[in-house]
Amino acid sequence: MSRSFARQVAIAGIGATEFSKDSGRSELQLAGEAVLLAVKDAGLEPADVDGLTTFTMETNSEIEVAKTAGLGDLTFFSKIGYGGGAACATVQQAAIAVATGVADTVVCYRAFNERSGHRFGSGAHRGEPTSEGIAMGWVSSFGLMTPASWVAMFAQRYMHEYGATSADFGLVSVADRKHAATNPKAWFYQQPITLEDHQNSRWIVEPLHLLDCCQETDGGQALVVTTVERARDLPNPVAVVSGAAQGSAQGQQSMVSYYRDDIAGLPEMGLVAKQLWAQSGLGPDDIQTAVVYDHFTPFVLQQLEEFGFCKRGEAKDFISGGNIELGGGLPINTHGGQLGEAYLHGMNGIAEGVRQIRRTSVNQVPDVENVLVTAGTGVPTSGCILSIDQ
Amino acid sequence: MTNSAALIAEARTHLGGPPGPLRVGRDPVNLPMVHHWCQALDDQNQAYLDEEFAAETRGHLIAPPGMLQTWTMDAPRGAELMGSNDHVNRLLDEAGYTSVVAVNYEHEYVRELQHGERISVRSSAEDLSEEKKTGLGLGYFTTVKHEYLTDDGEVIGIGRMRLLKFKPPAAAPEVGARPTPAIGRDNQFFWDGVQAGELRIGSCNACQTLHHPPQPICRACGSTDMGHTVSTGKGVVYSHVTHHYPKLQGVELPHTVLLVELEEGVRLVSEWATAAKPETTYVGQQVQVSFTPVPGGELRPTFTAVS
Ligand SMILES: [Zn+2]
C-alpha cells in the first residue's frame, strides 16, 4: 500500500472576497463569503463540505464558519500554527484528509480585517470582537460562565426528556472512583465513594453536584504513533489504531450548542461513532472496555447512547447494576477516568486504552480485543478504537 | 427604557403646573410642639417660650419660623387628585429613576406664626434638571415648591425642596459588574434592540429564515441580505441551571440561567428579571421578556414567569 497522498488530491475550487482597506463587514462574513464562493466555483453545494482547515491565528473558528455558511457535518477540521507559515500546510492537511478518506471535500480558508480591524503591527489588540468572542458573549453576559454550567444546561434537558436523575449521573462517578481506588497513579487512589456521597456533595451548578465534576490536574501525557509494521519490531505489544475520527455536527458551538433542534443528544459524537464503526468494521458488541470522556458525568450517558451501546434515553438503565464497573458488561474508565485518575483533557484515557490492549492495566479487563476511547464532549470532538494486533 | 426620553419630556410639561390637593395640618400651631422643638434644637429664644417677653416684643408668643414644615407633617392627603409634582415623580419612576434622596430645603418666611393658626400645604413641581451623573447613580434633580397657607388662604411661607431622583444601583457592589456582551457588526442590532425595548431576532431578508444567535450569512439560502424581526417576547423555559459555585463576577448567587424557546422557534440564553424571580423554575414554564438591568447597570433581555 502506498503511504503517500501525492497526486491523489486536487484543488477544485477557489473563491475570494474583494481585497480592500476597509471591508465594512465582519471577519466572519468575509470567511463565509470566501468559502461559499470557492464551493460555488467548484460546482458543489455548501452541504458537500465535510472538512475545514485554517490557521491557529484565524479568529473565525471552523464551527462558526460551518454554521454561518451552512456547511455539512464535519469529519475533519484542523488549525495550523505559526502565522503565514501555515498557508500551504492547509493544503497538505486537506490532502491527507481527502487521500485517506477522512473527508471528501475540505475547504482551506483564511479571512481577516487586518487593515481596518486589528493590525498586526499595532501591538495591543483593540477593535471588533472575534466571532468566537461573540458566540461566548451570548452566554457569559447572562451569567453562564463555567464549563459545569454549560454542561448542566444539557443535563437538565436530558433529565426532562428521558427521566434520568442525579443519582443516575452519580453511578458514573461511583464507577470511576471505584477504579481509581485501585490505581496507584490515580489522584483518588484508595478513595472510593458511595452514591450517598455523590448525592450529599454540594451543588456546583444544579443539577450537577461536586462529584459530577472532574478534578483539576497538573501533568503531561504523550503518545507515539508509527506504522503497525514498525511497531511490531518495538518492545511493547502493538496497540493497533482500528479507527480514529473527528466530528463537528451541524449547528455546532463550543460547549453551548443550545440552538439545535435536539439538545438531549451529542450528534458530534454520533458522527464520530458512525465513522469509527465504519473504519474498524466493528460494533458495540466488539468492545470489551471503553474510556468514555468524563469531565462531567451526564455526557457519559449520552455518549453510550450515541455509540449504540444502548438506545436513546436508556443509558440510565444500561449503567445500573454495576454494568460499567469492573466485572460488568462494559467496564468504563478503568484507570479511574478524569474524575478519579487525572484530568489531562482525555490524553491519559488514550494511554489507559493502550494499557488495556497491552494487558498491563491495574484494572485489566479479561480478553480485551478492542477498546473505545472518546474525547471531550460538548465541543467538536473525536474518538478512536485501539485493537490487539491480530 | 425605550421611552425614557419621552417620559422625561412629558415630566417637563408639568413644571409650573397646578399644585396637588391641599393637605391640612393635624394640629394648629401650639406651645407643646414648640417646647419639643426648642429643646431638641437647644433654642432659648424667649419670643417662643416666655409669654411676657413675647407680649412686649411681638404682642404674643410666636412659633419658630424653622418649624414651618412641621405643622403639616403627617397631614393626611387625598389620593384622587394629582398635582404637577406627583406627575413628575410618577414619570421619573416609570423612566427608572425610582430612588430618592433629599438634597436641600430652603424656606422663605412671609410672616411669623402665632399659636392657634392652622397651617396647610400644597405642592407643585417647579424645576427639573438635565440628567446628572452622581455618586448614587444617574438621576435628575427636581425642585418641589411647597406653599404654606392659613385657613383663609394667606400664604405665610414657601419651602423649596430639592430632591435627587436616581436609578438605584443594580449591583450589590461586592459582585461587581456583569461581563458585557461582545458586540460586533453582526449582532449590533440585537443589543440596540435591547436599548429600545425590543427583542430582535436576526432574519434573512431573502428567505425569512430566523437566526439566533444572528449571523452575517443566511445558512438556509446563502444570502448576505440580513435583517431582523421583533419577537413577541413570549416563550417557554426549554432548560435551566442554577449556579452555586464558584463566585462569578457580576452574578448574585445562586443564579438561575434560562434557555428560553421563543414562540418564533429560536432559543436564547437569558435569566430571570431580578425583581421578578419566581420560586421555582421548570421546563415548560411560560415566560415573557422584559428589559432589566443586571449588576453593573447594563440592560439585558430577561424574563418573568406568566401564569
Ligand atoms: Zn435566507
Side-chain angles (χ1 to χ4, degrees):
Chain A
M1 170 189 126
S2 161
R3 288 183 48 231
S4 175
F5 59 82
R7 306 197 67 80
Q8 294 184 48
V9 172
I11 296 175
I14 54 173
T17 65
E18 82 287 4
F19 304 132
S20 73
K21 299 295 180 197
D22 185 358
S23 74
R25 51 210 197 275
S26 67
E27 293 183 329
L28 180 59
Q29 184 165 342
L30 297 178
E33 287 180 18
V35 168
L36 287 173
L37 287 166
V39 169
K40 191 176 176 196
D41 181 59
L44 296 169
E45 293 298 323
D48 295 330
V49 176
D50 56 0
L52 285 175
T53 182
T54 185
F55 297 47
T56 54
M57 282 185 78
E58 173 70 27
T59 65
N60 302 294
S61 65
E62 304 95 314
I63 56 176
E64 286 299 318
V65 170
K67 182 167 148 303
T68 298
L71 306 183
D73 290 344
L74 304 181
T75 58
F76 173 74
F77 36 95
S78 73
K79 281 185 158 183
I80 300 149
Y82 309 111
C88 295
T90 64
V91 176
Q92 182 216 32
Q93 294 208 358
I96 293 168
V98 171
T100 53
V102 166
D104 287 327
T105 308
V106 178
V107 174
C108 312
Y109 70 94
R110 179 82 174 107
F112 51 46
N113 283 324
E114 200 277 333
R115 181 60 181 79
S116 70
H118 169 57
R119 298 171 71 179
F120 295 157
S122 69
H125 191 114
R126 284 185 295 110
E128 188 161 347
T130 66
S131 52
E132 280 184 296
I134 287 174
M136 203 36 81
W138 290 113
V139 296
S140 62
S141 63
F142 294 93
L144 197 69
M145 301 184 204
T146 63
S149 70
W150 300 329
V151 171
M153 191 69 88
F154 291 103
Q156 184 82 260
R157 186 68 198 182
Y158 179 84
M159 293 165 82
H160 173 79
E161 293 201 9
Y162 298 119
T165 65
S166 167
D168 294 323
F169 300 153
L171 293 178
V172 173
S173 203
V174 169
D176 275 12
R177 291 291 290 271
K178 178 182 172 179
H179 300 156
T182 52
N183 173 8
K185 296 271 178 67
W187 179 259
F188 287 115
Y189 178 51
Q190 294 179 331
Q191 295 175 65
I193 59 163
T194 64
L195 192 55
E196 288 68 38
D197 293 335
H198 171 272
Q199 290 293 288
N200 292 333
S201 66
R202 63 191 165 92
W203 289 123
I204 296 300
V205 181
E206 290 176 65
L208 301 188
H209 290 276
L210 172 66
L211 291 176
D212 287 306
C213 309
C214 77
Q215 55 188 316
E216 294 167 296
T217 302
D218 289 2
Q221 174 79 59
L223 312 158
V224 174
V225 177
T226 185
T227 64
V228 170
E229 274 176 13
R230 181 127 192 276
R232 283 176 183 148
D233 297 332
L234 301 175
N236 292 303
V238 178
V240 177
V241 180
S242 297
Q246 282 186 302
S248 175
Q250 283 197 324
Q252 181 82 54
Q253 300 232 302
S254 183
M255 296 304 289
V256 293
S257 307
Y258 300 145
Y259 314 102
R260 306 195 277 216
D261 288 347
D262 173 18
I263 69 165
L266 282 170
E268 52 278 6
M269 198 56 92
L271 190 57
V272 168
K274 204 168 75 179
Q275 296 175 79
L276 290 183
W277 297 142
Q279 289 171 13
S280 65
L282 302 171
D285 291 343
D286 301 311
I287 303 294
Q288 290 78 39
T289 180
V291 179
V292 184
Y293 200 89
D294 59 342
H295 54 359
F296 300 100
T297 57
F299 276 155
V300 170
L301 280 73
Q302 282 102 316
Q303 291 183 81
L304 293 169
E305 294 169 10
E306 293 289 353
F307 274 92
F309 290 107
C310 57
K311 294 201 179 98
R312 279 293 291 275
E314 294 182 2
K316 64 182 192 305
D317 308 312
F318 180 83
I319 65 173
S320 66
N323 199 42
I324 54 171
E325 298 177 11
L326 217 53
L330 182 73
I332 67 165
N333 303 343
T334 48
H335 57 321
Q338 303 192 97
L339 290 154
E341 189 196 54
Y343 173 69
L344 266 174
H345 259 163
M347 293 298 279
N348 54 322
I350 305 175
E352 174 65 6
V354 172
R355 286 189 292 268
Q356 285 288 349
I357 294 298
R358 291 180 180 178
R359 314 269 163 101
T360 59
S361 170
V362 293
N363 291 314
Q364 186 62 45
V365 174
D367 306 321
V368 168
E369 295 191 357
N370 304 295
V371 181
L372 169 68
V373 184
T374 69
T377 41
V379 287
T381 189
S382 57
C384 65
I385 294 174
L386 305 177
S387 304
I388 58 169
D389 190 13
Q390 301 283 4
Chain B
M1 310 299 150
T2 59
N3 37 6
S4 184
L7 290 166
I8 299 301
E10 189 186 340
R12 291 195 194 285
T13 66
H14 291 282
L15 297 179
L22 201 62
R23 296 186 293 129
V24 183
R26 285 189 197 280
D27 301 300
V29 176
N30 62 79
L31 189 59
M33 274 176 70
V34 171
H35 273 143
H36 286 305
W37 172 275
C38 290
Q39 199 169 4
L41 274 73
D42 198 24
D43 185 343
Q44 297 305 316
N45 189 328
Q46 296 306 294
Y48 309 151
L49 300 167
D50 186 325
E51 214 154 345
E52 282 180 33
F53 177 81
E56 278 175 36
T57 54
R58 314 290 169 109
H60 49 77
L61 279 173
I62 62 164
M67 286 184 76
L68 183 60
Q69 214 180 333
T70 61
W71 304 119
T72 56
M73 274 183 179
D74 285 328
R77 58 165 303 164
E80 67 291 327
L81 284 169
M82 290 276 277
S84 54
N85 180 49
D86 301 296
H87 286 294
V88 169
N89 279 332
R90 172 180 58 80
L91 291 160
L92 284 167
D93 283 346
E94 282 176 27
Y97 303 88
T98 51
S99 293
V100 65
V101 61
V103 178
N104 60 24
Y105 199 65
E106 287 169 16
H107 282 179
E108 214 177 276
Y109 308 118
V110 178
R111 68 161 169 83
E112 292 165 345
L113 298 182
Q114 59 179 298
H115 296 175
E117 292 192 277
R118 187 183 293 274
I119 306 302
S120 300
V121 65
R122 62 187 183 202
S123 311
S124 55
E126 197 170 68
D127 192 26
L128 178 62
S129 73
E130 293 305 311
E131 192 184 57
K132 303 285 187 193
K133 202 175 220 171
T134 76
L136 293 168
L138 282 176
Y140 287 87
F141 291 97
T142 67
T143 305
V144 187
K145 182 182 176 191
H146 297 303
E147 287 178 284
Y148 296 92
L149 310 96
T150 61
D151 282 346
D152 3 339
E154 181 199 359
V155 175
I156 48 79
I158 290 170
R160 282 192 176 78
M161 183 154 64
R162 289 184 80 222
L163 299 171
L164 173 66
K165 287 279 286 173
F166 63 99
K167 284 188 179 173
E174 65 271 22
V175 302
R178 179 70 60 81
T180 54
I183 302 176
R185 275 176 244 248
D186 301 335
N187 69 346
Q188 180 79 50
F189 73 88
F190 180 91
W191 294 103
D192 288 347
V194 170
Q195 291 302 320
E198 289 180 355
L199 185 60
R200 296 177 179 170
I201 307 170
S203 86
C204 171
N205 288 333
C207 77
Q208 275 69 54
T209 298
L210 299 181
H211 304 86
H212 185 85
Q215 53 184 63
I217 302 177
C218 175
R219 69 173 155 273
C221 77
S223 170
T224 55
D225 182 13
M226 302 298 285
H228 67 260
T229 182
V230 177
S231 167
T232 62
K234 289 185 175 63
V236 296
V237 173
Y238 189 80
S239 190
H240 58 94
V241 304
T242 299
H243 188 106
H244 293 263
Y245 180 88
K247 283 183 184 166
L248 302 172
Q249 186 192 315
V251 177
E252 309 244 21
L253 299 180
H255 177 62
T256 298
V257 182
L258 309 173
L259 179 61
V260 172
E261 187 161 273
L262 295 172
E263 64 179 11
E264 289 84 1
V266 300
R267 291 186 208 127
L268 80 161
V269 170
S270 183
E271 61 196 275
W272 293 117
T274 313
K277 191 178 171 182
E279 276 187 16
T280 57
T281 305
Y282 56 90
V283 173
Q285 199 165 9
Q286 307 264 329
V287 294
Q288 170 70 49
V289 79
S290 59
F291 299 88
T292 60
V294 292
E298 279 190 347
L299 287 183
R300 294 285 184 278
T302 59
F303 285 83
T304 55
V306 275
S307 42

